Structures are given as C-alpha cells and as structure tokens.
C-alpha cells in the first residue's frame, strides 16, 4: 500500500517501531490471525485522522474524526475482522458505518468485494477519495440508512456493522446467505456486547466476543 501524502512520512508516528508496538499489543490481547495483524501493521492509520491527532494514530484507542464520529480502536477492528473471516469462504461483505474507512481499508485486501453504507454523505465523499488514494478499488459506497442494508447486491457472505444497534437488525439478517455471519455491537449507548451471529439453515447461532463501545446506529436518514 503506497503512502502518497507527503509531509507526514518518515517521522516518528509512522515508524515501523511504532506500528510493531501496536501489533505486539494486539497479539498480547489474543489476536491470532497473521493476515489481520499484517493489515493493522500496513494500513497507515495516521491518514484516517486529522493531522492534529496523527501522533496518536498508532495508540490502541478510538479517536474523534469530527461530525460527532470516531475512528474505531485498532483492537476492536482486529477482533471484528478476525471474527468475520474465521472460516470465511465467501466473496461479498456488506459493511454498515463506513466512517473514515479504516475498518474498510483493513478488510479490503482480505475479501473480494466490499459494499459499504454510511449515513453522512460528507464523510463518505472524503472516505471514497482516501481509499482511492490508498489504491483500494474493491469497495462500493452508498450513502444511506444501514438499517436497510443494501438489498441490491445481497445476499452477503458476511456483514460487519461498526455502530451499535439496540437490537439485531432484521433486514441485515435477511441479507445473509445460509452460513453467512453478522458481526455487530448490540446494546444501549455506553457499552455493548460485540456478537457474531451465524445464519444456519433454519436458525441463528450467536456467540459473544466481549464488551465494546461504539457510536449508535442511528435510525433513519
Ligand atoms: N468503521 C469506522 C468507524 C465508524 S463509526 C472505522 O473504521 O473507524 C460509526 C459510523 O456509523 C459513523 O460514521 C456514523 O455516521 C455511521 N452510522 C450511524 N448510523 C448509521 C446508519 N443508520 N446507517 C449508516 N451509517 C450509520
């Protein structure tokens, strides 16, 4: 992945050592997938935040990105990506809550095609350009309400939701193939349970991946 923006290259925040430290921390916390750890090492997270916060880009914390939204914590991106891809044999992933596109960028080289939905058009515009600058082309973007999913390209082999829903969104479950999985934080604002829901032939199986804190999946446009 080529880091084209000059000016913030070559200084401490982007150094290999800083990124290696983050990766080691995620390993210590139980992330096992080499593919995921490599992506966390390679994706230039400092390009997804405001320059004023770039020096903190490789800390394992969520950071504000404006418009009341946040960039997800690297550990949470890693655990969600790992859970989505565990035993994954499909091609198409639907992502709800594009935001700055960090999760999208981590996932993109690991799957064939991503369809991503974001309700704030201004955010989506910037993110589309950012991912293009990073030579990521297997992503289709849609401004809209993630509660509706994106039926046109469904059903999906996997769905990843990076905003918290009070309940499992029925329409997303309906857009999964049999054997498909949904990774989503569920619960009230403040803290939620990150769950993996797998669609079986006639029922759903659900496992918990731990407590997380996300901005809410807003209802409607
Ligand atoms: N994936 C991002 C984090 C996203 S934060 C990352 O990698 O850092 C959650 C995002 O979900 C915000 O951009 C917010 O605008 C969006 N969002 C909230 N409710 C939504 C909805 N109903 N439909 C689509 N996007 C929504």
């Amino acid at each position: 992945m080529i880091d084209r923006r000059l000016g913030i290259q070559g200084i401490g925040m982007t150094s290999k050592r800083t990124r290696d430290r983050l990766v080691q921390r995620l390993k210590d916390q139980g992330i096992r997938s080499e593919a995921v750890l490599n992506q966390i090492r390679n994706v230039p997270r400092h390009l997804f935040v405001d320059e004023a916060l770039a020096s903190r880009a490789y800390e394992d914390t969520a950071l504000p990105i404006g418009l009341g939204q946040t960039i997800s914590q690297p550990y949470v991106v890693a655990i969600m990506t790992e859970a989505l891809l565990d035993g994954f044999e499909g091609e198409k992933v639907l992502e709800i809550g594009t935001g700055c596109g960090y999760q999208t960028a981590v996932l993109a080289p690991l799957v064939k095609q991503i369809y991503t939905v974001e309700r704030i058009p201004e955010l989506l515009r910037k993110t589309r350009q950012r991912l293009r600058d990073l030579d990521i082309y297997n992503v289709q973007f849609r401004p809209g309400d993630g509660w509706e999913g994106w039926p046109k390209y469904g059903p999906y082999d996997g769905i990843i939701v990076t905003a918290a829903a009070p309940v499992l969104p029925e329409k997303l479950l309906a857009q999964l193939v049999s054997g498909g999985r949904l990774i989503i934080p569920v619960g009230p604002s403040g803290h939620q349970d990150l769950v993996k829901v797998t669609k079986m032939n006639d029922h759903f199986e659900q496992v918990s991946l731990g407590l997380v804190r996300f901005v809410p999946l807003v209802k409607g446009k």
Side-chain angles (χ1 to χ4, degrees), residues 26-46:
L26 301 190
K27 276 189 190 166
D28 294 344
Q29 288 179 281
I31 304 299
R32 289 284 162 264
S33 162
E34 282 299 328
V36 170
L37 291 167
N38 272 334
Q39 278 303 96
I40 298 280
R41 185 182 284 108
N42 292 337
V43 174
R45 191 168 183 256
H46 61 283

Side-chain angles (χ1 to χ4, degrees), residues 3 5 7-20 41 43-47 54-55 57-58:
D3 189 340
R5 270 199 241 176
I8 20 189
Q9 283 187 57
I11 50 176
M13 69 188 73
T14 70
S15 78
K16 183 170 177 302
R17 200 155 53 96
T18 316
R19 295 183 189 206
D20 285 347
R41 185 182 284 108
V43 174
R45 191 168 183 256
H46 61 283
L47 299 184
S55 65
Y58 298 94

Side-chain angles (χ1 to χ4, degrees), residues 69 71-72 97 99 103 118-120 123 144-146 162 215-218:
Q69 304 305 323
I71 181 170
S72 295
Q103 168 72 69
E118 166 60 51
R119 66 182 285 276
I120 304 177
L123 208 50
D145 179 12
T162 64
V215 298
L217 185 67
V218 177

